[in-house]
Amino acid sequence: MKRLDTTRPAWAPPDVDIDTPSIARVYDYWIGGTHNFAVDRELGDRVRTGNPGLVASLRANRAFLRRAVRELSALGIRQFLDIGSGIPAEGNVHDVALSAHSDSTVVYVDIDPVAVAHGRALLADEPRAAVFQGDLHQPRKILEADETRRLIDFDRPVALILAAVLHFVPDSEHPLELVRHFTAPLVPGSALVLSHAGAETVPRRAPEAAEQYRGAVSEVIWRDTAELTALFADFDLLSPGVVRAPVWRPELGEQADPDLAMLAGVGLKPGT
């Protein structure tokens, strides 16, 4: 039996189990990160065997997120609330936002205690970013958390990020109402950033893909363009609207594979 390398690097908190796979670290592995271990990579390889397009879709999602943050920073937004963030490793929202404006602030929220523990270690020396454990289904607790209150001023525009998270919310849990709980306190000029498993029409292979992913997290709810667009009900979509993630304002030299099954869009809250 192969012996796993359990050497604990400085970024791994001492109270985090590095011998058991963590979906947060598996996700980090899938998107090309370095904050993962052999046990995470083994699970990641097993999951993606049955869904070869999974990793490319997740990387396209992360690339979209970076582009969206750059675009919103250029519009003057300097506050970002990222819910369902995973491990906030290199190239994440705070890196992009702080590169644009040194006074930007970022709050990451994730339900996974392992992601939060790693995040706190990674952000220990960054006063303008914080991470805490929170449940997407408890908006008030997230909006009123100490970390949120310290870094987010809701009298100024805020970018709310729900990237690759709402596809874990079934229709029975009313995703639009959930989004509105978070966006209600946002002032005009704020932004909503969404990405979601899906396509222009939900592909027939969706159940099989969801089954492969379910073993590692939970059931994936696929939605099409119209369904994701409906979640922007109170926002004005930026061009090109809701499209596949790779073709949302791709940068020069960036590969824009239009066939990946990840939809994305960014909207701005209009004035009253």
Side-chain angles (χ1 to χ4, degrees):
M1 181 176 181
K2 184 172 72 173
R3 181 182 179 84
L4 297 179
D5 179 10
T6 57
T7 301
R8 185 179 294 272
W11 56 264
D15 57 339
V16 168
D17 180 3
I18 64 174
D19 298 319
T20 302
S22 157
I23 189 57
R25 295 194 304 257
V26 170
Y27 186 91
D28 179 77
Y29 167 55
W30 282 335
I31 64 173
T34 60
H35 293 84
N36 52 76
F37 298 99
V39 66
D40 306 305
R41 295 188 287 274
E42 288 183 3
L43 173 59
D45 289 341
R46 288 201 306 271
V47 172
R48 71 177 177 181
T49 295
N51 185 13
L54 174 63
V55 170
S57 293
L58 295 178
R59 292 187 179 187
N61 172 68
R62 180 52 60 94
F64 154 73
L65 179 56
R66 288 193 290 264
R67 296 195 304 273
V69 172
R70 277 193 285 270
E71 294 279 359
L72 294 176
S73 294
L75 293 176
I77 294 180
R78 303 189 182 193
Q79 303 184 107
F80 298 84
L81 177 57
D82 184 353
I83 301 172
S85 62
I87 299 174
E90 300 95 341
N92 214 314
V93 175
H94 68 285
D95 288 319
V96 179
L98 288 168
S99 293
H101 301 291
S102 60
D103 61 343
S104 295
T105 57
V106 179
V107 174
Y108 296 106
V109 185
D110 202 277
I111 197 171
D112 185 342
V114 175
V116 172
H118 285 303
R120 284 176 173 157
L122 292 168
L123 298 175
D125 297 324
E126 181 46 74
R128 305 198 69 83
V131 58
F132 67 93
Q133 187 174 0
D135 187 341
L136 172 71
H137 294 86
Q138 297 177 334
R140 176 175 290 185
K141 288 186 177 181
I142 290 175
L143 295 172
E144 296 180 356
D146 291 341
E147 294 87 347
T148 306
R149 289 182 175 276
R150 177 170 65 87
L151 291 174
I152 302 293
D153 177 2
F154 286 102
D155 290 329
R156 298 188 295 119
V158 176
L160 172 67
I161 299 171
L162 296 167
V165 65
L166 289 176
H167 51 224
F168 299 123
V169 180
D171 291 343
S172 61
E173 295 178 5
H174 310 291
L176 178 57
E177 290 183 17
L178 188 59
V179 170
R180 282 175 164 162
H181 281 302
F182 285 105
T183 59
L186 304 186
V187 300
S190 293
L192 175 61
V193 179
L194 299 181
S195 60
H196 196 293
E200 281 75 7
T201 57
V202 177
R204 292 182 180 179
R205 66 182 179 85
E208 290 76 15
E211 185 64 33
Q212 289 292 329
Y213 202 16
R214 185 182 301 134
V217 278
S218 55
E219 184 177 1
V220 175
I221 309 299
W222 288 61
R223 294 186 171 98
D224 61 22
T225 305
E227 290 171 311
L228 185 56
T229 300
L231 298 181
F232 286 97
D234 304 316
F235 286 74
D236 294 333
L237 281 165
L238 295 182
S239 174
V242 170
V243 293
R244 302 205 188 204
V247 297
W248 194 92
R249 302 191 179 188
E251 297 177 346
L252 185 64
E254 194 170 24
Q255 295 296 320
D257 184 345
D259 295 324
L260 295 181
M262 179 70 71
L263 294 175
V266 177
L268 293 180
K269 191 169 188 176
T272 56

